Amino acid sequence: MDRILVRPNGPLTGEVTISGAKNSALLLMAATLLAPGEHVLTNVPRITDVATMTELLGAIGVESERDATTVVLRSPASLLPEAPYELVARMRASIGVLGPLLARCGEARVAVPGGDDFGSRPIDMHLSGLEALGAKFELEHGYVRGWADGLRGAPVTLEFPSVGATENILMAAVLAKGSTVIENAAREPEISDLADLLNAMGAHIEGAGTSTIEVEGVETLHATKHETIPDRVEAATFLAAVAVTGGDVLLRNARADDMEMYLRKLADMGMTVTPTLEGVWSRGPERLRSVDVSTLPYPGVATDYKPLFTVMLAVADGVGIVTENLFAGRFRYVDELIRMGADVRTDAHHAVVRGRTRLSGAPVRAPDIRAGAALVVAGLVAEGETEVSGVEHIDRGYEDFVGKLAALGAHIERIST
Ligand code: EPZ
């Protein structure tokens, strides 16, 4: 099992190129199920979740080829509408094949998803939204079996702006007869990117990125070429690394517009962040100031940024309260941070973080993708050596994380044991 060893090495400097967005690329790949032909996706990150999605699409019948950051997916005339447990259990985003398979094949059998352990993560809104379009479901032996005798457009109002449910309903609605209106839809940039791909495939979607999405179903779609948007969560991770080390770094390709609330919070903490033609330039302060943070659906502060805030607040001047409003169980990394000397108290979905002037390096375990990356960031300012295990989580969402940090001057290496 690999481990990452980190030691403090002063301010990070230079530039880092932000890769394509994991949470977009995975759904763009699933969307290729909607039309036979050769689809070309560019700026696709080299991460294990993309490899898992490639394997899943392969099991369904889609051949693929990869060259650097370009993935070519050949979707055949007929598909095997089944997503096996061992693949779905590895990655929750696999549920994103449900809508496209129902729309394209009229049936689907998909294992109930696993993925990061943030407490209960039901798919009821996916199912009720697809049922509104005429699908029927039954749960058997850990699988959701769905069928539809031709999907029909309908109004769908989501109880909560779920990213995954919005994506599944959108991908089903584009081939449904008639029009669909999704109310209280998720507004994340990844939703807009998916809608851009679908429209380039011949779909009729309006309002993506707002809470009301309108879709006029079409008979067929065609293959196309599409560039994945940059990864705002990866960018947020590098900004946190710059923030805690007092660095000076250009994030090439980062899009300030996609993380406005995050940048506003960083500015409140004393950081300088400026959008540029190449991306986003950033400089960390002598010492961060504490702020309070609440996670919310986009355009609020994303829950994926929360472990990063907890680490920044752990070395900031003052006390900050972090409130998690999406995933009740998303504080599992706090005990690891406390092992590094952080002063964090959790109570239900709040954490009170009292900033300290120093953390100390320790062996810690990454419980999930974002918390893993945040523990590495903490290691950049913790005295002595921090040894991060559970690296396979980080690999799921970050391309060459260690290499990119080392190029910015971090004292970091990956060891295989
Ligand atoms: C997406 O997950 C992201 N994953 C997550 O990023 C991200 O944390 C999350 O959105 C929130 O921004 C991908 O895009 C692949 P949701 P998703 O459906 O779609 C509840 C990362 O590290 N809910 O918006 O699973 C749910 O339990 C990952 O990159 C239902 O109750 O999130 C949660 O409380 C981690 N029923 C809330 O809604 C449903 O049917 C938001 O979940 C669906 C969701």
Side-chain angles (χ1 to χ4, degrees):
M1 293 301 280
D2 286 10
R3 291 161 192 268
I4 294 176
L5 303 181
V6 199
R7 284 178 174 279
N9 196 30
L12 298 182
T13 56
E15 68 173 70
V16 60
T17 299
I18 299 301
S19 302
K22 165 180 90 76
N23 290 346
S24 190
L26 298 176
L27 280 303
L28 299 175
M29 293 170 76
T32 63
L33 291 168
L34 288 163
E38 184 168 296
H39 304 254
V40 180
L41 297 177
T42 60
N43 198 29
V44 177
R46 282 167 282 204
I47 55 176
T48 53
D49 269 13
V50 164
T52 303
M53 184 56 87
T54 307
E55 225 181 305
L56 176 57
L57 295 176
I60 296 172
V62 177
E63 271 173 39
S64 57
E65 237 171 78
R66 164 150 228 158
D67 168 25
T69 57
T70 297
V71 175
V72 177
L73 298 132
R74 292 191 191 83
S75 186
S78 71
L79 300 169
L80 176 67
E82 170 133 355
Y85 174 74
E86 69 275 3
L87 290 171
V88 176
R90 271 193 248 155
M91 179 182 70
R92 185 183 167 80
S94 313
I95 193 71
V97 302
L98 184 61
L101 288 175
L102 279 170
R104 175 90 187 277
C105 314
E107 61 173 324
R109 191 166 178 268
V110 176
V112 178
D116 281 341
D117 181 7
F118 300 158
S120 148
R121 298 184 71 183
I123 56 169
D124 55 318
M125 295 181 216
H126 298 241
L127 303 184
S128 56
L130 293 166
E131 276 165 351
L133 302 187
K136 299 220 172 357
F137 295 102
E138 69 181 16
L139 197 63
E140 52 172 25
H141 311 303
Y143 279 75
V144 176
R145 194 171 75 79
W147 63 97
D149 180 16
L151 295 172
R152 289 175 304 284
V156 177
T157 301
L158 290 176
E159 205 183 316
F160 186 90
S162 153
V163 174
T166 301
E167 291 161 334
N168 248 329
I169 297 161
L170 187 58
M171 289 190 282
V174 289
L175 285 178
K177 229 178 190 38
S179 53
T180 295
V181 179
I182 309 174
E183 292 288 0
N184 198 24
R187 301 162 55 186
E188 274 69 2
E190 294 77 27
I191 305 278
S192 304
D193 200 24
L194 176 61
D196 289 347
L197 168 68
L198 294 169
N199 279 339
M201 292 169 70
H204 294 163
I205 303 167
E206 283 174 13
T210 76
S211 47
T212 303
I213 302 178
E214 298 184 22
V215 185
E216 200 52 50
V218 295
E219 286 287 315
T220 59
L221 296 168
H222 56 79
T224 189
K225 182 173 182 177
H226 179 85
E227 179 174 346
T228 314
I229 58 171
D231 196 318
R232 62 193 168 102
V233 190
E234 184 196 20
T237 306
F238 280 97
L239 286 168
V242 175
V244 295
T245 62
D248 184 326
V249 170
L250 170 68
L251 286 76
R252 195 168 280 284
N253 297 345
R255 290 203 319 197
D257 293 351
D258 287 355
M259 44 183 174
E260 197 189 328
M261 200 59 80
Y262 184 70
L263 301 187
R264 210 185 288 175
K265 280 287 174 189
L266 289 181
D268 293 346
M269 297 178 84
M271 199 165 171
T272 308
V273 184
T274 313
T276 69
L277 289 178
E278 304 88 0
V280 168
W281 172 71
S282 62
R283 190 177 59 222
E286 193 66 28
R287 182 154 189 220
L288 292 163
R289 289 190 298 271
S290 289
V291 292
D292 295 339
V293 176
S294 285
T295 67
L296 287 168
Y298 194 87
V301 170
T303 173
D304 297 340
Y305 301 155
K306 192 199 55 196
L308 301 170
F309 273 113
T310 312
V311 166
M312 289 191 277
L313 291 171
V315 292
D317 181 11
V319 179
I321 300 175
V322 179
T323 302
E324 172 59 55
N325 292 311
L326 275 84
F327 297 109
R330 203 169 188 179
F331 278 120
R332 293 181 51 226
Y333 56 92
V334 166
D335 291 341
E336 302 303 301
L337 265 183
I338 290 172
R339 192 198 308 280
M340 297 177 75
D343 182 346
V344 187
R345 313 278 164 87
T346 58
D347 177 13
H349 57 140
H350 299 288
V352 177
V353 189
R354 289 186 175 77
R356 295 206 147 145
T357 49
R358 59 181 282 285
L359 294 178
S360 65
V364 290
R365 181 163 193 79
D368 60 61
I369 303 173
R370 308 305 170 184
L375 289 171
V376 171
V377 170
L380 295 170
V381 287
E383 279 168 16
E385 182 173 84
T386 297
E387 181 180 312
V388 182
S389 57
V391 174
E392 65 282 4
H393 289 290
I394 298 174
D395 291 340
R396 285 188 51 197
Y398 291 88
E399 178 174 330
D400 189 24
F401 193 45
V402 168
K404 287 186 180 187
L405 281 169
L408 294 173
H411 194 308
I412 188 167
E413 62 177 323
R414 184 178 177 128
I415 54 165
S416 304
T417 50

